[in-house]
Amino acid sequence: MSGILKVIIDIASTPAILVAMIAVLGLLLQKKPTTDVVKGGVKTFVGFLVVTTGAGAVVASLSPFGEMFQVAFNVQGVIPNNEAIVAVALSEYGTTTALIMLAGMIFNIMIARFTKFKYIFLTGHHTLYLACMIAVIMSVIGFTTIPLILLGGLALGIVMTVSPAIVQPFMRQLTGHDNVALGHFSAVGYALSGYIGKYFGNKEKSTEDIKFPKGLGFLRDSTVSIAITMGIIYVIVAIFTGGAYIRENLSDGTNHIIFALQQAGAFAAGVFVILAGVRLILAEIVPAFKGISEKLVPNAKPALDCPIIFPYAPNAVLIGFFSSFLGGIVSMIIMLFAGGVIILPGVVPHFFVGATAGVIGNASGGLRGSILGSFVQGMLISFLPLLLLPVLGDLGFAGSTFSDADFAVSGLFLGLLGEYGGQVAVVIGIALALSIMIALTLFSKKQKETVEAN
């Protein structure tokens, strides 16, 4: 049994395999020729590996930057990191996590099939992380065995379906169609960025319309502009960190300026690879998903990881990252003056989440929307983890916390219900959430019938 569960975890937490299997299933349901099935599956698999490779390069280049930042400005505190806290929790809750994850994926398909929320969440590692958090919180509340797995899976399935729905209006605005959704558990922050852009931005002035002087025309190339901008940032932080520290602890003796430039170049290369992989995935997964939409879940939409939207506004990716990180720094300063726990700006979440918020903010409010939306989102993913920390601190994870907004919102929802109302309150809360989705579906269906009748 444990061997089967391990295979389930490995497949479901590996996006390349999971999404390739979905693509193959979709093509088989359409009764495509064997050559098309093989080609679609392999290209989807390779595309996700390309994205993963690019993301790995970005993370590797940002990791030393985070350490340099702490040393340069002498700050200590908690750095939100999904991978770190899940790695600790899985040693005790691995089996429960796998079962909740499997149940959650089934509930996701069922909810998408029978409600108006037609989103199939395909970002496997985020599903694993949320399943782990739900397993921990609900175990502490007192749930065990079958109720733990079924209720935890239902809670996971609801979040997997609702999260893409929250940000889908802005995805339609960004992409110009309704074929693809965003499957990344920071939808609350993305939607907030979209609304800020809508009400405080100016859609007529896009980040992609930034005018460069003739002599700086090379900056129109996103790879060049990212490399130069990140190079300047890295070098400044490296100077404040000090050459001695970097040579002894990070660069294996390489000059600190040269090391900073290498990391900036690696960052730009990683972003370039991500964009190439995204284009490959979209070319295969959307047509393949038509089979699932027609046979299993009518009008289903694949909810994919956040880099899927980076090609739509490459300038907004960088602007969103910087603005979100600045929001994290401002939040850290507020926490310093307030006393107590300090949430340090995690460079990796501020890049991926901030960049995505920047693209969404630009779609609804142009350059101003991108800057303001991602800045506020950066503050959101600083203060929400701070609020979540006590819930996880009781479980022995006080040194870390989850980094993205949806983790904090769903974790606080379950944790506070359990703390003040026990198991009964949690059951009622989950049932109420599902009931609202069903009610909205029935209301939408009735509206549609009324319109057709008139």
Side-chain angles (χ1 to χ4, degrees), residues 28-78:
L28 288 172
L29 288 172
Q30 294 179 71
K31 298 181 180 179
K32 293 288 186 180
T34 302
T35 53
D36 290 350
V37 173
V38 172
K39 185 184 78 170
V42 170
K43 290 183 77 173
T44 303
F45 176 70
V46 171
F48 255 95
L49 288 180
V50 171
V51 173
T52 303
T53 301
V58 168
V59 170
S61 68
L62 289 176
S63 295
F65 182 85
E67 184 174 340
M68 288 160 58
F69 182 85
Q70 291 182 63
V71 173
F73 302 105
N74 192 29
V75 288
Q76 297 294 325
V78 174

Side-chain angles (χ1 to χ4, degrees), residues 70-288:
Q70 291 182 63
V71 173
F73 302 105
N74 192 29
V75 288
Q76 297 294 325
V78 174
I79 301 179
N81 186 289
N82 294 331
E83 288 76 12
I85 192 168
V86 168
V88 174
L90 281 179
S91 60
E92 184 176 350
Y93 297 95
T95 300
T96 307
T97 296
L99 291 172
I100 288 177
M101 184 174 182
L102 177 60
M105 294 172 72
I106 294 171
F107 278 120
N108 176 210
I109 294 172
M110 291 175 63
I111 293 170
R113 174 67 180 84
F114 295 108
T115 73
K116 62 177 286 187
F117 302 94
K118 305 296 183 181
Y119 305 99
I120 307 297
F121 196 95
L122 296 178
T123 306
H125 63 290
H126 256 219
T127 307
L128 172 67
Y129 299 160
L130 187 56
C132 182
M133 186 190 74
I134 290 172
V136 172
I137 292 176
M138 294 192 68
S139 294
V140 169
I141 291 171
F143 289 100
T144 58
T145 59
I146 301 301
L148 171 61
I149 294 164
L150 290 180
L151 282 170
L154 179 56
L156 176 61
I158 289 171
V159 179
M160 290 171 72
T161 316
V162 170
S163 178
I166 291 172
V167 74
Q168 190 62 12
F170 299 105
M171 282 293 288
R172 285 193 291 267
Q173 192 173 34
L174 172 68
T175 62
H177 56 73
D178 202 23
N179 298 331
V180 178
L182 192 57
H184 195 257
F185 287 136
S186 211
V188 171
Y190 301 146
L192 177 62
S193 179
Y195 281 113
I196 288 173
K198 179 179 179 180
Y199 292 110
F200 299 99
N202 180 0
K203 195 177 176 183
E204 302 304 316
K205 295 184 178 179
S206 169
T207 56
E208 309 313 297
D209 296 331
I210 294 175
K211 302 295 183 185
F212 296 102
K214 263 191 177 179
L216 299 177
F218 57 86
L219 291 176
R220 291 191 184 93
D221 187 309
S222 61
T223 303
V224 174
S225 60
I226 288 172
I228 291 175
T229 305
M230 291 303 294
I232 294 171
I233 299 296
Y234 266 93
V235 168
I236 291 172
V237 174
I239 292 172
F240 278 96
T241 304
Y245 181 89
I246 292 176
R247 286 193 301 273
E248 293 171 11
N249 297 279
L250 297 173
S251 70
D252 292 327
T254 301
N255 176 273
H256 60 298
I257 302 298
I258 299 299
F259 176 74
L261 293 174
Q262 286 176 327
Q263 298 306 311
F267 178 92
V271 173
F272 179 85
V273 172
I274 287 173
L275 299 181
V278 164
R279 294 185 184 99
L280 187 58
I281 294 168
L282 284 177
E284 299 299 327
I285 191 65
V286 173

Side-chain angles (χ1 to χ4, degrees), residues 2 59 107 164 181 188 296 307 314 339 341 344 350 429 435 448:
S2 61
V59 170
F107 278 120
V188 171
L296 298 180
V341 178
L344 299 181
H350 278 291
S435 299
K448 184 178 180 182

